Amino acid sequence: MQTERIASAYEALRKGIVVVTSTLIIFVALKNSLIWHLEQFWGASKTFWSSLWAVVYRASGENHFLMFTFATVAYALIVYTVINVFFAHLDITGRPAFLLKYKVQEEKNVPVDWDKYKQTVKLVAFNMTVVNLIGTLTTYPLVLLRGNQCGYELPTFTTTIWHILICIIIEEIGFYYTHRLLHHRYLYKHIHKVHHEWTAPVAVAALYCHPVEQYLTYLPMFLGPLIMGSHLSVFWLWYTVGHWSITLAHCGYHLPFLQSTEAHDYHHLKFNQNYGTLGILDRLHGTDEMFRRSKAYERHILLLGLTPAKEIFPDPPKGKTG
């Protein structure tokens, strides 16, 4: 078993190196042209974003503390709310009905338990306001120490993309090990069990968790831009990416042209599989072995058409394992 796990990890690493190397070769070959065109687009839109940022910065009285604490909490809350409006409508009303065929666990939450949903929204609101404010206040000294800025001048396109890429790597490492720690039986019983009350998750439940867990999972998101010395605008962009990704992972729908939700949905179904976000550390540590033997793994693809994944990879007839 250990030998198979090492071989599997090696194969995943080998494939990863091939993909990264190929990407780098293509990127280097197209570097000058690609960056030039992207910088032109960024430059054209940067005037708009700079003007918008200037409005926010002036509204704070050009106050570094307010921008990194209260304004950041408010921004994250707005982003999370906007992203969840559509999914809330879908979960509560079941409309538009044609999307129901994309449900991963199609028999669950149809209709959603309204009392449980209201309880979820209340805790999420508390986490997004009170707990996140505690998070920004307690980590603000680190921002001062690192020298992160929030002034009028926004970073370049290449700087922004580079910082976001590093944030993704740091988040994968930080979230995987934090999440796996929370599955220790003591921490699970007293903290993480709250999040797993939704065995078939809904979008708003992405941040439905014990306040302690909310704080712990905030830290990996915060560490990336902190370490990179990012401008606050990069923090906010990264939080937007993060909130979109985690909401989609919990939405319960495997929708066309969007990231697959099969892996994390399977985690909520089985509890001890798929702790990470990218799947790299799950493969390395063997915490996706059951998942990779499941039908959900076959369905864990980017849908490039309108046919649901469960129709492309249907369940075997009852009584058969094939």
Side-chain angles (χ1 to χ4, degrees), residues 31-197:
K31 179 181 176 183
N32 291 337
S33 177
L34 180 64
I35 290 182
W36 185 87
H37 286 292
L38 291 174
E39 287 282 13
Q40 293 304 303
F41 171 78
W42 185 262
S45 61
K46 190 176 180 181
T47 301
F48 168 76
W49 294 116
S50 295
S51 299
L52 192 61
W53 185 261
V55 171
V56 176
Y57 190 45
R58 278 195 296 268
S60 75
E62 302 183 1
N63 189 304
H64 188 275
F65 171 76
L66 288 179
M67 288 290 288
F68 271 94
T69 54
F70 289 91
T72 296
V73 171
Y75 174 79
L77 178 61
I78 292 170
V79 167
Y80 191 77
T81 302
V82 169
I83 292 172
N84 271 276
V85 165
F86 169 76
F87 288 111
H89 175 77
L90 179 59
D91 289 328
I92 294 168
T93 68
R95 296 187 181 91
F98 75 88
L99 290 180
L100 295 179
K101 64 184 178 181
Y102 296 107
K103 277 188 68 66
V104 178
Q105 299 184 52
E106 54 190 337
E107 75 285 359
K108 302 291 182 65
N109 300 322
V110 184
V112 71
D113 184 327
W114 179 235
D115 289 334
K116 185 177 181 180
Y117 196 88
K118 286 190 294 184
Q119 173 190 335
T120 298
V121 171
K122 288 178 183 178
L123 182 54
V124 169
F126 179 81
N127 285 338
M128 291 293 293
T129 53
V130 176
V131 180
N132 278 3
L133 183 59
I134 293 172
T136 58
L137 291 173
T138 55
T139 55
Y140 182 69
L142 297 176
V143 170
L144 292 177
L145 185 65
R146 182 64 180 87
N148 299 86
Q149 298 300 313
C150 62
Y152 291 107
E153 183 63 28
L154 298 182
T156 64
F157 172 80
T158 49
T159 297
T160 301
I161 295 302
W162 169 244
H163 285 200
I164 293 295
L165 289 175
I166 297 300
C167 287
I168 291 172
I169 296 171
I170 293 173
E171 167 69 6
E172 167 70 2
I173 297 170
F175 182 79
Y176 178 89
Y177 291 110
T178 301
H179 190 188
R180 194 165 179 184
L181 178 64
L182 286 169
H183 274 263
H184 180 277
R185 63 179 181 273
Y186 179 82
L187 294 178
Y188 182 86
K189 178 181 178 181
H190 295 284
I191 298 176
H192 193 49
K193 187 177 180 179
V194 174
H195 183 66
H196 275 280
E197 289 175 9

Side-chain angles (χ1 to χ4, degrees), residues 24 62 76 79 117 120 159 191 225 245 247 255 271 290 313:
L24 285 175
E62 302 183 1
V79 167
Y117 196 88
T120 298
T159 297
I191 298 176
S245 178
T247 298
L255 298 171
F271 299 102
M290 186 188 302
F313 302 101

